[in-house]
Amino acid sequence: MPITIHSDPIPNIPWQPKPAGCPDVVWRYDKNPVIDRRPLPQATGIYNSAVVPFEGKFVGVFRTEYKNRMPHLHFGRSGDGLQWQFDSKEIEFQCDDPEIKRQEYGYDPRLTRIGDTYYITWCNGYHGPTIGMARTRDFKTFEQLENAFLPYNRNGVLFPRKINGNYAMLSRPSDTGHTPFGDIFYSESPDLTFWGKHRHVMSKGLSWWQDKKIGAGPSPIETSEGWLLFYHGVLESCNGFVYSTGAALLDLDEPWKVLYRTNQAILMPEAPYETTGLVPNVVFPATALVDSATGRIALYCGAADTFTTLAFCDADEVIAFTKENSQV
Ligand code: BMA
């Protein structure tokens, strides 16, 4: 039975076919990095960022790291998803409540469209990292909402539709530091303010590439085979953490049930821009654009906490690979 993908087509999705002889299910853009070092005068790099199609072009919310090494969220736009222009000032969120607006830093944004509204979730500094939320319809004004969870939490990722009548989000409870642990959990909310019905989705472990911690990547993609989730898995070596990418399929109605999960990384730090940078050996998927008409998927990844890169895969192939090479 052919796989169906429940989202809009993106006819101008950035894309390159798989190179002949490539043995992998995910392959890299041959002109990486898409966003190089020093993309703004005050920035060391832009990485781990969120892109969506908008009015026939592309826009995004970008983790922009300044020379004091503090991360801020900047807006950017692109005609083709490859050449980007960034606002030089960080996004100014609208909110009357100073307690909500408090943002010591913001990083690792994700963008999720639900209906005609685009939601940003990010790691928000509120007495430690937690999940910040904002929404926009036009990418001109951004309304900040309540932080979703108590500190400490990271990798908050919304599902692109309500589930069981509620908004749904994955997240990864953490600590204030570099968190030497971490599993993915699921939560629901009727109103994006009060979150509950917390469920465990999946744990770190099973094999070494994801032995230290895991975290959701881009918003899950709704397919006839389940929610396709790309996630990062972290190994701790004698030289520090190594961030790779895996894939999983979650049950459509009860997404805390994992149907399949890759028993190996489908993308690991190998290219020079992934192994060399401010934090070596990091490939961190934060956006998955999918063209439902062709099954083409473009993954925007942060690389070495310095660059933004593109990798590609095909929905049919990555789903088949996940099923055939699964360990749950
Ligand atoms: C995590 C986050 C990510 C980063 C990674 C590797 O804790 O800060 O944004 O890519 O570490 O440094």
Side-chain angles (χ1 to χ4, degrees), residues 11 23 51-52 54 58 78 120-121 123 127 129 135 163 165 211 229 236 246 248 306 310-311:
V51 170
V52 285
F54 184 67
F58 299 91
S78 171
I120 310 160
T121 52
C123 183
H127 305 276
R135 67 182 161 205
I163 296 172
D211 200 31
L229 175 71
E236 185 172 23
T306 307
L310 264 174

Side-chain angles (χ1 to χ4, degrees), residues 270-283:
E270 289 176 334
Y273 45 79
E274 295 160 345
T275 58
T276 307
L278 291 168
V279 182
N281 300 317
V282 178
V283 55

Side-chain angles (χ1 to χ4, degrees), residues 208-228:
W208 284 355
W209 74 273
Q210 54 180 349
D211 200 31
K212 186 57 49 175
K213 54 182 169 177
I214 56 174
S219 282
I221 299 167
E222 186 172 8
T223 81
S224 50
E225 312 307 294
W227 293 102
L228 173 60

Side-chain angles (χ1 to χ4, degrees), residues 161 163-164 186 188 222 227 250-256:
R161 67 164 169 82
I163 296 172
N164 310 316
Y186 169 93
E188 290 186 4
E222 186 172 8
W227 293 102
L250 312 180
D251 184 84
L252 285 175
D253 301 319
E254 297 176 314
W256 54 93

Side-chain angles (χ1 to χ4, degrees), residues 48 63 107-108 213 243 279 282 284 305:
N48 300 3
R63 172 178 178 159
Y107 65 77
D108 295 3
K213 54 182 169 177
Y243 281 66
V279 182
V282 178
F284 189 101
D305 285 13

Side-chain angles (χ1 to χ4, degrees), residues 11-12 38 57 128 141 144 166 178 224 237 253 265 309 312 328:
N12 57 342
R38 305 297 309 275
K57 297 180 178 173
T141 52
Q144 189 163 353
N166 289 322
H178 294 295
S224 50
S237 81
D253 301 319
T309 67
F312 305 107
V328 173

